[in-house]
């Protein structure tokens, strides 16, 4: 089996519970996963801190990162920049950890274009009514922002088929286990095991006598 980690992108509607799923994965499987921390120009929400949930940077700092090609991908979402720092991700993959990027659909498709082996997963509540309830109950945003996120969700729903997997987050623990299984099963995909397959072929050839 190939020892390099898998790059997985987890996207979903705002309020789908992506962050909670990622936190649970890291707690239940320590050392197996690394969660890439995105850089963003948006303001921190209550309880968020720089270098933990996000790297909170100014617009000028972010645009400098773009110029220096220091991001795997970046996009604008609801008036702010979001992007994935390259150095951290590549280092974790080379150490054999599966790296999860929690980014929105624009960024996910850019990553897939640049790195075709990327595994794309889309997380959704069971229905749109539940999505709205979660956004309202979160209590961190005003009505105008919630309306903007719901409008954005409608747009994102048009591109879900471009993902490899669609995961419903109804029961959190079941969802976490499903995401874990999808990523780990990906390690067994033949296309990711060329070196092992070729080695077995070479050994088998040695057993063949004559032409």
């Amino acid at each position: 089996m190939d020892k390099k980690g898998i790059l997985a992108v987890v996207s979903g509607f705002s309020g789908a519970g992506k962050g909670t799923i990622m936190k649970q994965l890291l707690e239940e499987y320590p050392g197996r996963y690394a969660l890439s921390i995105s850089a963003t120009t948006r303001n921190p929400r209550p309880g968020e801190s720089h270098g933990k949930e996000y790297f909170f940077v100014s617009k000028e700092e972010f645009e400098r990162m773009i110029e220096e090609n220091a991001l795997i991908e970046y996009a604008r979402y609801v008036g702010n920049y979001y992007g994935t720092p390259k150095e951290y991700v590549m280092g974790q993959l080379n150490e054999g950890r599966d790296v999860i990027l929690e980014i929105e659909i624009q960024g996910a498709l850019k990553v897939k274009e640049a790195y075709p082996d990327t595994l794309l997963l889309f997380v959704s509540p069971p229905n749109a009514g539940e999505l709205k309830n979660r956004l309202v109950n979160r209590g961190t945003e005003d009505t105008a922002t919630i309306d903007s996120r719901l409008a954005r969700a409608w747009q994102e729903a048009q591109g879900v088929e471009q993902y490899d997997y669609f995961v419903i987050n109804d029961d959190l623990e079941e969802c976490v286990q499903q995401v874990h299984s999808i990523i780990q099963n990906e390690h067994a995909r033949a296309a990711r095991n060329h070196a092992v397959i070729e080695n077995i072929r070479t050994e088998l050839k040695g057993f063949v006598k004559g032409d």
Side-chain angles (χ1 to χ4, degrees):
M1 301 283 277
D2 121 344
K3 293 182 179 179
K4 189 175 180 180
I6 286 173
L7 180 58
V9 172
V10 175
S11 303
F13 308 124
S14 180
K18 304 180 297 295
T20 305
I21 293 167
M22 300 305 96
K23 182 180 178 183
Q24 197 92 347
L25 269 178
L26 293 172
E27 288 179 355
E28 293 190 21
Y29 303 98
R32 173 69 272 176
Y33 295 103
L35 180 62
S36 176
I37 302 174
S38 295
T40 183
T41 57
R42 80 157 169 78
N43 293 323
R45 291 179 185 147
E48 292 182 335
S49 57
H50 180 77
K52 188 177 180 184
E53 287 80 14
Y54 286 93
F55 295 115
F56 295 100
V57 301
S58 68
K59 182 182 176 185
E60 291 73 24
E61 287 177 280
F62 197 100
E63 290 175 346
R64 186 163 57 248
M65 294 172 76
I66 294 173
E67 290 174 8
E68 294 173 353
N69 195 31
L71 300 167
I72 289 178
E73 57 74 37
Y74 69 92
R76 281 183 75 93
Y77 176 61
V78 194
N80 287 298
Y81 279 121
Y82 293 80
T84 303
K86 185 184 296 182
E87 185 178 357
Y88 173 82
V89 170
M90 296 308 164
Q92 293 295 314
L93 289 174
N94 288 332
E95 289 180 13
R97 294 184 184 88
D98 297 326
V99 178
I100 300 174
L101 310 185
E102 184 194 327
I103 53 180
E104 47 70 58
I105 193 166
Q106 281 178 286
L109 297 179
K110 286 182 182 178
V111 173
K112 185 78 168 181
E113 183 179 353
Y115 305 94
D117 285 345
T118 303
L119 181 65
L120 301 185
L121 299 91
F122 195 94
V123 176
S124 173
N127 54 65
E130 176 62 19
L131 176 63
K132 183 174 182 179
N133 288 339
R134 291 183 188 180
L135 286 171
V136 171
N137 293 336
R138 193 158 66 180
T140 58
E141 294 159 340
D142 59 25
T143 301
T145 303
I146 291 172
D147 289 344
S148 177
R149 292 192 182 280
L150 288 171
R152 176 67 176 177
W154 182 87
Q155 293 175 339
E156 289 173 333
Q158 314 312 309
V160 172
E161 288 86 355
Q162 296 177 79
Y163 280 69
D164 299 305
Y165 293 91
F166 183 76
V167 182
I168 295 292
N169 181 17
D170 193 5
D171 179 280
L172 176 62
E173 186 55 37
E174 286 182 12
C175 185
V176 169
Q177 292 308 312
Q178 186 177 6
V179 170
H180 174 67
S181 295
I182 288 169
I183 296 173
Q184 295 313 307
N185 287 341
E186 191 70 13
H187 280 280
R189 192 180 291 274
R192 293 186 184 271
N193 289 277
H194 288 307
V196 177
I197 294 168
E198 197 55 43
N199 187 53
I200 291 172
R201 283 192 184 123
T202 301
E203 292 174 344
L204 287 171
K205 189 175 182 180
F207 297 147
V208 178
K209 301 188 187 305
D211 295 326

